[in-house]
Amino acid sequence: MREERLFVTYGDTMSLIGKKPIEIPRNIKVTLADFKVLVEGPKGKLEFRIPFGIQVEINESKVFVKRNSDNKFSKSLHGLVRSMINNMIIGVNSGYSKGLEIQGVGFRGQVQGKSLLLQLGFSHQINYPIPEGITIETPKPTNLIIKGIDKQRVGQVAAEIRNFFTPEPYKGKGIRYAGEYVRKKVGKAVA
């Protein structure tokens, strides 16, 4: 018996995310200079180096991201570059924030000057220096809010702080993202 194979083509092989134009709000200024995209807004400035094989064009109030060839490397960067530029525009316009919750008896955090002091049940206090361009607020000693205009840096700082004491599965003690569900394990049964 002969086996038949069906090949489906989806027309244009462009990236679904990469081919979407990015709308530029009125209060944001986007410029191109020396293979860099510069975005300036009310919250600050960001820049992104355009990788080889990707082309960025600005027409009226839209940014278009195109690739020069259909090789695997250019295809992999097409949607990424579009997302990075879009995140920069959102960041300088409204900013990003990430929440952390601290759970455990005596566990707390507080901002002191340019550093975050964490008491997590260790014999010592953890002193985390707050990076440039990031602000940390503590509305309660067990809640942290990390804010900034760069989405990647906000997420990185949140991950670094969470890494000091990741939530353990028996009592749930530790630092977790706001709204994160931690699956609990049943402890050993005592005979």
Side-chain angles (χ1 to χ4, degrees):
M1 193 172 225
R2 207 172 114 217
E3 188 180 310
E4 289 185 31
R5 292 194 175 150
L6 179 67
F7 290 99
V8 180
T9 57
Y10 293 102
D12 190 16
T13 58
M14 294 283 281
S15 166
L16 291 175
I17 294 170
K19 68 182 177 182
K20 284 186 195 170
I22 305 165
E23 292 284 332
I24 303 172
R26 291 186 187 270
N27 58 345
I28 305 295
K29 183 181 172 192
V30 180
T31 54
L32 296 171
D34 298 330
F35 303 106
K36 288 182 184 176
V37 177
L38 305 164
V39 181
E40 196 173 332
K43 295 219 174 230
K45 296 179 188 177
L46 287 173
E47 69 176 49
F48 175 71
R49 187 161 193 73
I50 302 167
F52 179 76
I54 300 295
Q55 194 176 351
V56 177
E57 295 172 3
I58 300 170
N59 289 342
E60 295 167 22
S61 65
K62 292 183 180 179
V63 177
F64 296 93
V65 178
K66 298 175 182 173
R67 59 178 188 247
N68 297 336
S69 68
D70 277 343
N71 64 20
K72 193 174 182 179
F73 182 70
S74 294
K75 282 181 177 182
S76 68
L77 291 174
H78 191 196
L80 173 75
V81 171
R82 192 254 179 219
S83 293
M84 293 291 286
I85 295 169
N86 190 43
N87 289 345
M88 288 165 58
I89 290 171
I90 293 168
V92 297
N93 194 15
S94 55
Y96 288 99
S97 69
K98 199 131 180 122
L100 293 173
E101 297 171 353
I102 303 172
Q103 292 190 357
V105 177
F107 286 23
R108 62 183 176 271
Q110 71 180 50
V111 177
Q112 207 170 58
K114 292 192 176 196
S115 61
L116 173 70
L117 301 176
L118 295 168
Q119 292 178 343
L120 303 173
F122 300 126
S123 61
H124 59 285
Q125 236 182 17
I126 295 171
N127 184 7
Y128 179 78
I130 300 171
E132 194 74 29
I134 298 289
T135 57
I136 298 177
E137 297 172 3
T138 52
K140 290 185 200 170
T142 57
N143 287 0
L144 304 173
I145 300 171
I146 297 137
K147 293 182 177 180
I149 60 172
D150 190 347
K151 185 176 186 178
Q152 188 269 329
R153 287 184 74 195
V154 169
Q156 181 68 36
V157 168
E160 286 172 3
I161 293 171
R162 182 182 182 271
N163 223 16
F164 288 126
F165 199 122
T166 54
E168 54 94 20
Y170 295 102
K171 292 183 181 174
K173 292 187 333 184
I175 303 173
R176 62 179 76 183
Y177 297 116
E180 179 184 0
Y181 173 72
V182 177
R183 232 173 98 203
K184 292 191 178 175
K185 291 183 182 177
V186 179
K188 290 183 180 178
V190 178

